């Protein structure tokens, strides 16, 4: 086989209930140059970067933030999944600690994109309460209850999250 040189490929994935809107989004993204996209993406993430004197700690904070913000937050829904690969569910306890990490990064950077995610998650939580005023043990990102089991500790975390948001 003979090498044909270096090739750079990009993959655009759009999730939407509306096929025409998804196609329109993809077509609008095709007009961006690869270099501009990389530059804009780098600038976007740079404004959320936390700097620390301890570079190991800095790496831990930023990699955890990148995972939560990039893989687990559904920006349009407000849902935060616990694990994007093996268990794509929301769990109030786990989401609370993810939320706290977002809150910490927001307090250090002031980036309003993070605040929007935090607020969106609270709206999502309270719009997906079960009719009798409590939350299931776990939910799908659509808000449908996965485990219709009352678990006391799962009831505390949404309230704590709401309290923390308004502090």
């Amino acid at each position: 086989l003979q090498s044909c040189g270096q090739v750079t490929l990009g993959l655009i994935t759009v999730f939407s209930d509306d096929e025409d809107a998804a196609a329109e989004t993809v077509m609008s993204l095709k007009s961006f140059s690869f270099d501009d996209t990389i530059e804009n993406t780098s600038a976007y993430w740079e404004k959320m970067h936390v700097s620390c004197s301890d570079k190991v700690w800095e790496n831990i904070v930023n990699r955890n933030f990148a995972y939560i913000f990039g893989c687990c937050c559904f920006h349009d829904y407000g849902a935060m999944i616990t694990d994007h690969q093996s268990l794509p569910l929301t769990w109030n306890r786990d989401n609370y600690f993810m939320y706290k990490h977002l809150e910490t990064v927001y307090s250090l950077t002031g980036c309003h994109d993070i605040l929007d995610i935090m607020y969106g998650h609270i709206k999502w939580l309270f719009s997906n309460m079960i009719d009798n005023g409590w939350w299931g043990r776990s939910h799908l990102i659509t808000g449908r209850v996965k485990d219709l089991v009352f678990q006391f500790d799962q009831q505390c975390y949404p309230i704590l999250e709401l309290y923390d948001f308004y502090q």
Side-chain angles (χ1 to χ4, degrees):
L1 295 175
Q2 185 176 11
S3 173
C4 296
Q6 183 176 350
V7 176
T8 304
L9 298 175
L11 173 65
I12 299 171
T13 305
V14 176
F15 297 97
S16 175
D17 294 337
D18 182 343
E19 186 177 333
D20 293 332
E24 185 178 314
T25 300
V26 169
M27 295 310 286
S28 71
L29 292 173
K30 286 175 60 176
S31 65
F32 288 99
S33 78
F34 184 74
D35 291 337
D36 288 346
T37 302
I38 294 297
E39 187 176 315
N40 291 338
T41 302
S42 297
Y44 180 76
W45 282 99
E46 197 56 37
K47 69 183 178 182
M48 295 180 269
H49 182 83
V50 174
S51 297
C52 305
S53 58
D54 182 341
K55 294 304 175 191
V56 171
W57 181 244
E58 180 178 321
N59 191 39
I60 291 169
V61 168
N62 286 305
R63 294 300 297 154
N64 276 290
F65 171 75
Y67 175 72
I68 293 169
F69 194 80
C71 293
C72 299
C73 293
F74 286 78
H75 301 247
D76 294 339
Y77 285 106
M80 283 193 290
I81 57 173
T82 302
D83 179 340
H84 78 283
Q85 289 183 340
S86 63
L87 193 61
L89 299 172
T90 68
W91 297 80
N92 294 337
R93 176 190 55 238
D94 297 351
N95 286 164
Y96 175 73
F97 290 105
M98 294 165 77
Y99 175 91
K100 292 300 285 181
H101 192 79
L102 293 175
E103 182 181 68
T104 299
V105 174
Y106 172 72
S107 72
L108 295 170
T109 64
C111 178
H112 286 281
D113 291 342
I114 301 168
L115 190 63
D116 291 343
I117 292 293
M118 293 163 54
Y119 180 69
H121 187 250
I122 289 171
K123 286 192 325 186
W124 182 90
L125 272 170
F126 282 87
S127 66
N128 289 303
M129 292 176 76
I130 298 172
D131 291 337
N132 58 8
W134 55 276
W135 290 271
R137 186 169 58 182
S138 64
H139 298 80
L140 304 172
I141 64 162
T142 60
R144 189 172 68 88
V145 175
K146 164 79 171 61
D147 296 323
L148 190 57
V149 174
F150 181 87
Q151 189 172 331
F152 182 72
D153 71 319
Q154 295 291 334
Q155 309 310 306
C156 301
Y157 292 104
I159 306 299
L160 287 171
E161 204 170 304
L162 181 65
Y163 175 81
D164 288 348
F165 185 81
Y166 285 102
Q167 288 303 307

